[in-house]
Amino acid sequence: MPSDIRTSRQNVRNTSNHKKVKKILSGMIVPIIIAVIWQCIGTLELVTQIVLPTPWDIVLAAKNLLASGLLLTHLKVSFIRAAVGFIIGGGLGLFFGTLVGLSTRSEHLLDPSLQMIRTVPHLAVTPLFILWFGLGDTSKVLLIALGAFFPLYVNTFLGIRRVDAKLFDVARILEFSKWKRMKLLILPAALPNILLGVRLSLGAAWLSLVVAELMGSTEGVGYMIMDARQFSNTDIVFVGIIIFALVGKLTDSLVRLMEHHFLKWQDTYRGGA
Amino acid sequence: MDITIDIRDKSFKKERGVVHVLDHVYFHIDDGEFITVIGPSGCGKSTLLKIVAGLDTDYDGSVYIGRQKVQKPSVEQGFVFQEHRLFPWLTVEENIAADLSLNNAEIRKKVDELIDIVRLGGFEKAYPKELSGGMSQRVAIARALLRKPSVLLLDEPFGALDAFTRSHLQEVLLQVWAETKTTMILVTHDLDESVYLGNRVAVMDTHPGRIRHLIPIDLPFPRRKTHPSFQKLRQKVLREFETISEPPTTL
Ligand SMILES: Nc1ncnc2c1ncn2[C@@H]1O[C@H](COP(=O)(O)OP(=O)(O)OP(=O)(O)O)[C@@H](O)[C@H]1O
Ligand SMILES: [Mg+2]
């Protein structure tokens, strides 16, 4: 009987691997078709290079940038900015979201002000940040942090408030300590929302990074794009855009992976079937 | 521990006025006694248990367990809820252990024993979403038993179970009771169950909820549901029940 279970588990795993490959392949169909059509337009010279370089040109440009090491240097700078900004903003969002979620007193004290700041499109404060902190890394990191703060704040707050009151009764009956209540009840229950917050925060951090770097900088992927634009190197502009898309997608997948791992207890509809 | 229940009034304030749920519920339960409570749906059985557990303190009156006034919930008052209320993110064994560490050899051993008793071997690492309603309820019972409460409150714990599992768990409960002499209050809507398990059956009335009858069941254990004296007492409880407006769901 146990071996039966094991083989059937293995089968399940195999078919799920199979499904995964299928899923990835079906996700690639549309980009490939677009790339082929695009390449045809370029080779037939329907549009000039400056407006629309062919995918092949872009690949070549990327190769050159990689070979010269320029791409990696810019990417590293951008990545560090985004990471530091995300950690500061997201960390604060998580902290304040938890604080406000756990106590109505801090909610009354803090939430109205925070919600007011939230309604200001944070890109509108960019000029202010530049005035205060100059064009250096500080203003960029702070802008990214500001962008990353709210999604995590709002979703952590929401997640904590949605913990089932009936399970709180169980925690009272079992006499959980404050710490155990946090660890066994509140955090796991809020985790789906927190992870959603992480995803949205990462997206916001990335968006803020682009804006910050386009506003003016001397290195980073955003700078690379602006620099290339001045010299009408459209292929490099495309390389930059694609890099932004790839890294964005990659971090998003990472969070999804985390969701998959940490939320495997969840019993919700996953689409299809 | 013995329990002294003296609830003068328990009301819920709603938008459209006040609903009196419990009215002058007074009775004393001896140490080690097994009380079963039976009554129509909505008569306040769950409310009564929650008050005894200390989960609800917003009422007029008092409840004493031993000499201690019940003011808040504690592991001394074990509770099995009407719905299983497991933590969906914990596995079966983690749910039973909850805040206690499975790395502790003693806890580990007790948890394994309990998993055996409630017949969940092989499901130690399963999440609640993979369990049937009955299996979940068995986990909830194991969770309560692990803490060796001096009073065990059970709110229709076997309601969702099939007849086979139900009678197995009834035996388990009787065995635990015989071994530990834990004072038990078990709410049920099953007449047979109330007579089979209880030293006394409390029959509740509705609107407002109060104890209408306390019927002693002077039958030795183990009891046989087919025995004439069992049937006679069952008939008696049924007759008392029929004087109340709504009949129970299973007869
Ligand atoms: N939190 C609450 N707020 C308002 N009214 C409540 C609340 N809890 C219970 N009631 C009311 O109290 C009454 C008794 O509820 P209770 O859950 O104790 O009934 P019960 O006897 O356990 O019923 P059942 O057999 O269906 O479980 C019901 O009329 C219900 O509407
Ligand atoms: Mg009830």
Side-chain angles (χ1 to χ4, degrees):
Chain A
M1 165 104 168
S3 70
D4 266 15
I5 290 175
R6 210 162 298 142
T7 49
S8 75
R9 283 235 169 108
Q10 225 146 38
N11 283 342
V12 167
R13 196 164 304 149
N14 282 346
T15 53
S16 80
N17 268 349
H18 197 79
K19 269 187 194 156
K20 225 178 266 170
V21 172
K22 239 177 156 176
K23 204 171 89 183
I24 293 172
L25 284 181
S26 62
M28 282 166 62
I29 293 174
V30 174
I32 288 175
I33 291 176
I34 291 176
V36 169
I37 295 174
W38 184 352
Q39 183 70 39
C40 292
I41 293 173
T43 7
L44 295 174
E45 290 183 24
L46 296 174
V47 191
T48 68
Q49 274 265 343
I50 292 174
V51 176
L52 195 68
T54 65
W56 186 242
D57 294 330
I58 297 168
V59 171
L60 285 181
K63 213 183 107 201
N64 287 337
L65 283 169
L66 265 176
S68 66
L70 228 59
L71 187 59
L72 281 183
T73 343
H74 286 311
L75 188 59
K76 208 173 108 191
V77 170
S78 294
F79 186 80
I80 291 174
R81 278 177 187 151
V84 173
F86 170 75
I87 288 168
I88 295 175
L92 285 175
L94 190 65
F95 174 79
F96 279 104
T98 311
L99 191 76
V100 169
L102 287 179
S103 103
T104 39
R105 202 182 319 151
S106 49
E107 182 192 348
H108 296 323
L109 186 70
L110 296 172
D111 194 55
S113 317
L114 288 171
Q115 293 298 346
M116 206 162 73
I117 299 173
R118 191 172 75 98
T119 56
V120 179
H122 77 282
L123 301 180
V125 300
T126 314
L128 200 62
F129 273 33
I130 290 175
L131 271 175
W132 285 347
F133 308 107
L135 276 169
D137 276 339
T138 320
S139 64
K140 292 186 181 58
V141 167
L142 285 179
L143 197 68
I144 294 163
L146 185 66
F149 176 83
F150 285 105
L152 250 166
Y153 168 75
V154 171
N155 280 289
T156 305
F157 178 28
L158 219 78
I160 288 178
R161 284 300 161 88
R162 288 221 311 234
V163 181
D164 191 349
K166 289 181 170 179
L167 289 180
F168 267 106
D169 277 353
V170 176
R172 288 173 67 203
I173 289 276
L174 299 178
E175 288 192 271
F176 280 7
S177 63
K178 269 209 171 110
W179 159 241
K180 289 282 183 185
R181 200 178 63 187
M182 196 68 199
K183 186 184 154 206
L184 293 174
L185 174 59
I186 297 171
L187 275 183
L191 200 60
N193 276 287
I194 293 177
L195 285 177
L196 174 67
V198 168
R199 268 175 88 180
L200 296 174
S201 273
L202 276 171
W206 211 228
L207 177 74
S208 315
L209 171 83
V210 178
V211 171
E213 289 190 343
L214 292 181
M215 291 290 291
S217 57
T218 50
E219 45 186 354
V221 179
Y223 163 76
M224 192 181 84
I225 292 177
M226 287 314 273
D227 191 51
R229 187 198 60 113
Q230 282 186 340
F231 297 99
S232 298
N233 291 328
T234 319
D235 44 359
I236 297 182
V237 173
F238 268 104
V239 172
I241 292 172
I242 290 168
I243 289 293
F244 275 134
L246 278 182
V247 178
K249 176 75 186 122
L250 217 70
T251 45
D252 197 63
S253 302
L254 210 72
V255 182
R256 269 169 173 265
L257 220 67
M258 273 163 61
E259 282 182 347
H260 203 74
H261 178 76
F262 289 116
L263 305 182
K264 55 176 181 258
W265 51 268
Q266 253 189 347
D267 190 18
T268 43
Y269 181 62
R270 289 183 201 283
Chain B
M1 294 278 204
D2 64 319
I3 308 173
T4 311
I5 299 170
D6 180 7
I7 301 166
R8 284 186 286 281
D9 173 60
K10 166 69 196 171
S11 315
F12 286 107
K13 286 166 198 70
K14 297 193 178 171
E15 275 149 42
R16 273 171 284 130
V18 178
V19 187
H20 292 283
V21 176
L22 295 175
D23 181 64
H24 287 91
V25 173
Y26 172 80
F27 67 125
H28 182 86
I29 300 170
D30 287 329
D31 186 20
E33 202 179 359
F34 201 138
I35 294 285
T36 51
V37 180
I38 189 162
S41 179
C43 71
K45 304 183 293 293
S46 299
T47 309
L48 174 64
L49 278 199
K50 278 176 191 155
I51 288 176
V52 177
L55 280 172
D56 190 340
T57 50
D58 182 23
Y59 65 99
D60 189 13
S62 65
V63 172
Y64 282 87
I65 291 183
R67 296 189 167 180
Q68 197 73 39
K69 187 169 177 182
V70 176
Q71 270 156 335
K72 62 177 180 50
S74 91
V75 284
E76 284 300 307
Q77 295 110 256
F79 204 112
V80 177
F81 290 91
Q82 200 162 354
E83 337 81 49
H84 55 76
R85 300 203 189 176
L86 301 179
F87 297 106
W89 43 84
L90 299 183
T91 60
V92 165
E93 55 184 20
E94 288 167 345
N95 258 296
I96 296 174
D99 59 330
L100 307 174
S101 169
L102 281 166
N103 295 326
N104 178 323
E106 200 182 327
I107 304 275
R108 176 83 252 178
K109 189 165 150 268
K110 280 195 208 157
V111 168
D112 287 341
E113 272 171 27
L114 281 166
I115 286 177
D116 227 36
I117 288 175
V118 296
R119 293 188 181 166
L120 281 171
F123 287 94
E124 292 87 348
K125 304 263 187 296
Y127 286 99
K129 70 167 179 186
E130 302 163 65
L131 305 179
S132 71
M135 290 159 88
S136 308
Q137 198 59 319
R138 282 183 268 163
V139 179
I141 291 168
R143 175 170 72 186
L145 289 178
L146 176 67
R147 279 138 183 103
K148 293 219 167 17
S150 59
V151 172
L152 187 54
L153 309 162
L154 302 114
D155 194 354
E156 298 193 28
F158 310 140
L161 304 185
D162 60 286
F164 190 73
T165 319
R166 171 190 290 242
S167 88
H168 166 64
L169 282 174
Q170 286 173 350
E171 296 315 318
V172 168
L173 201 61
L174 285 176
Q175 194 190 326
V176 169
W177 180 58
E179 280 168 15
T180 60
K181 279 293 158 210
T182 307
T183 311
M184 306 260 187
I185 306 181
L186 179 138
V187 167
T188 177
H189 59 250
D190 181 341
L191 212 63
D192 274 323
E193 186 167 272
S194 71
V195 179
Y196 186 68
L197 296 174
N199 292 128
R200 281 189 289 168
V201 178
V203 181
M204 276 184 79
D205 201 350
T206 188
H207 298 305
R210 52 173 72 154
I211 309 276
R212 181 70 162 266
H213 305 282
L214 272 167
I215 303 163
I217 309 293
D218 297 316
L219 296 174
F221 291 95
R223 293 171 176 170
R224 285 199 5 246
K225 287 176 186 162
T226 46
H227 199 276
S229 53
F230 184 95
Q231 286 300 324
K232 223 175 100 190
L233 275 163
R234 186 188 182 282
Q235 289 303 321
K236 186 173 171 193
V237 176
L238 179 57
R239 267 199 306 281
E240 305 293 7
F241 211 108
E242 278 173 341
T243 59
I244 295 168
S245 44
E246 298 164 52
T249 39
T250 49
L251 282 179

